[in-house]
Amino acid sequence: MAKAKFQFNPKTLSFERIDNTILHKLRSLISHLFSGVLVSLAFFIIYALYFPNPRVDQLKREKAELETKYQIISSDLEMIEDVLKDIEERDNQLYRSVVQADPVSANLRRYNPSQSKRNETYERTNSFIAAQTVTQIEDIKRKLYIQSVSFDEVVNLVRNKEDMLLSIPGIQPVMNKDLRRMASGFGMRIDPIYKTPKFHAGMDFSGDIGTEIYATGKGTIHFKGWMQGYGNAVIIDHGYGYKTLYGHLSEFVKTLHVGSKVNRGDVIAYMGSTGKSTGPHLHYEVHYRDKVTDPRNFYYMDLSPQQYDEMIRITSNNGNVYD
């Protein structure tokens, strides 16, 4: 048993017994420890708030410097994107137009990184500016790749330009420069049999049976035979999206077959009146990418400006359709 201890109390002028138990000592120890922790925490907060930390200051300076560099890079990337946008517009409106190629679709050129990739970049760099810069770089890389592929296609088309110019329909299919045998042109006309308005998908050239019919451009015989409504007909595939059709023929050149190669100006058949026809003539159509187009736009190698104007006048009539 612990020996009892007493302490003199000057107020009461008597000795008072001191609590000397283990529990009292434990409580006293805890109280002193708690007070020490509070004092230490107070000193730490005061130090953190009012006394600079060299390491923290260095990290802050590095972070500010890094963000400044990212902002400069971001500004440069925006300038590069503007230049790339100008190149894309030139490519679509000029370069690809010259070689008669469709523009690259906006959906293909547009690139938006997935949100998951943005989040991944943000978490890895712990900086919105850095994540935004990485996104810009990925966007530019994608656009540069698409533009590179487009330029490769344009270069190949330019290399094949001579062959393309030889292949695109460029003359009239009959020897008819005086224009007297043009009967009807492209557009709405009156059907000669049913007497009702209908769309005339080509141009009619009247003439004598046996008149020579010429290939209007370099190509391959795609079809040779009987076609409903057209009678004896020939279709030439010129490549580059172009096909021409020659209908109501009396006979074909016997040496030509499906797959035979022809050049512009080669005789391929002879005028007739087969199929749905009211008289000897040639029905001539030009198709571009499987859509009919006005043949009058393809006589640039055959007619002078005056002859072209006269052809427009003659073929704009609403009658004289032979099929």
Side-chain angles (χ1 to χ4, degrees), residues 306-322:
Q306 294 77 14
Q307 290 173 322
Y308 186 85
D309 290 341
E310 179 64 12
M311 175 198 65
I312 296 296
R313 186 190 66 80
I314 294 173
T315 57
S316 295
N317 67 80
N318 292 322
N320 298 328
V321 181
Y322 281 80

Side-chain angles (χ1 to χ4, degrees), residues 67-321:
E67 289 182 347
T68 301
K69 289 181 179 179
Y70 273 128
Q71 289 173 347
I72 294 173
I73 293 173
S74 179
S75 177
D76 290 342
L77 289 174
E78 289 178 359
M79 181 181 67
I80 293 173
E81 284 186 327
D82 289 340
V83 174
L84 183 56
K85 183 178 179 181
D86 181 65
I87 293 174
E88 290 173 351
E89 291 178 354
R90 289 171 181 266
D91 183 34
N92 279 345
Q93 300 177 12
L94 179 60
Y95 308 140
R96 300 182 70 83
S97 177
V98 168
V99 296
Q100 297 182 325
D102 287 339
V104 178
S105 69
N107 289 335
L108 186 59
R109 290 192 187 276
R110 190 180 301 116
Y111 173 63
N112 292 315
S114 64
Q115 188 61 39
S116 61
K117 186 169 184 178
R118 291 175 184 267
N119 293 338
E120 177 187 349
T121 305
Y122 184 81
E123 291 171 1
R124 188 171 64 248
T125 60
N126 196 28
S127 169
F128 174 76
I129 297 177
Q132 189 179 44
T133 303
V134 171
T135 299
Q136 284 181 287
I137 292 173
E138 291 296 325
D139 189 16
I140 291 175
K141 285 167 62 178
R142 165 83 174 188
K143 290 179 179 179
L144 285 173
Y145 173 75
I146 296 299
Q147 190 58 58
S148 175
V149 171
S150 175
F151 278 154
D152 287 342
E153 183 182 355
V154 170
V155 169
N156 289 332
L157 288 172
V158 169
R159 288 173 179 170
N160 296 328
K161 188 67 175 178
E162 181 178 0
D163 182 73
M164 182 173 68
L165 291 175
L166 292 174
S167 300
I168 294 176
I171 63 173
Q172 296 179 93
V174 297
M175 189 66 69
N176 188 31
K177 292 185 179 180
D178 59 8
L179 310 179
R180 288 177 298 177
R181 293 184 176 181
M182 287 188 179
S184 182
F186 183 88
M188 293 302 298
R189 299 290 183 265
I190 302 299
D191 189 288
I193 296 176
Y194 303 111
K195 307 302 181 184
T196 57
K198 76 162 189 175
F199 182 77
H200 192 237
M203 179 175 284
D204 290 343
F205 296 84
S206 64
D208 300 325
I209 292 179
T211 299
E212 293 179 331
I213 306 299
Y214 302 100
T216 57
K218 176 184 174 183
T220 303
I221 302 297
H222 178 74
F223 175 85
K224 173 186 174 183
W226 184 270
M227 289 183 66
Q228 182 67 34
Y230 293 96
N232 290 328
V234 170
I235 296 177
I236 298 177
D237 186 346
H238 301 276
Y240 307 99
Y242 290 95
K243 290 181 182 177
T244 51
L245 181 149
Y246 311 77
H248 309 298
L249 308 171
S250 61
E251 57 180 318
F252 310 103
V253 171
K254 293 181 173 53
T255 56
L256 295 179
H257 307 281
V258 173
S260 296
K261 305 293 183 181
V262 295
N263 293 312
R264 179 182 289 138
D266 287 351
V267 177
I268 58 172
Y270 302 92
M271 188 178 292
S273 187
T274 57
K276 180 177 173 289
S277 172
T278 59
H281 76 289
L282 168 71
H283 176 82
Y284 174 65
E285 293 181 6
V286 176
H287 295 243
Y288 180 61
R289 297 188 175 176
D290 298 323
K291 293 183 179 180
V292 291
T293 186
D294 195 337
R296 297 183 303 186
N297 299 328
F298 296 89
Y299 300 145
Y300 55 89
M301 297 186 66
D302 235 6
L303 302 177
S304 67
Q306 294 77 14
Q307 290 173 322
Y308 186 85
D309 290 341
E310 179 64 12
M311 175 198 65
I312 296 296
R313 186 190 66 80
I314 294 173
T315 57
S316 295
N317 67 80
N318 292 322
N320 298 328
V321 181

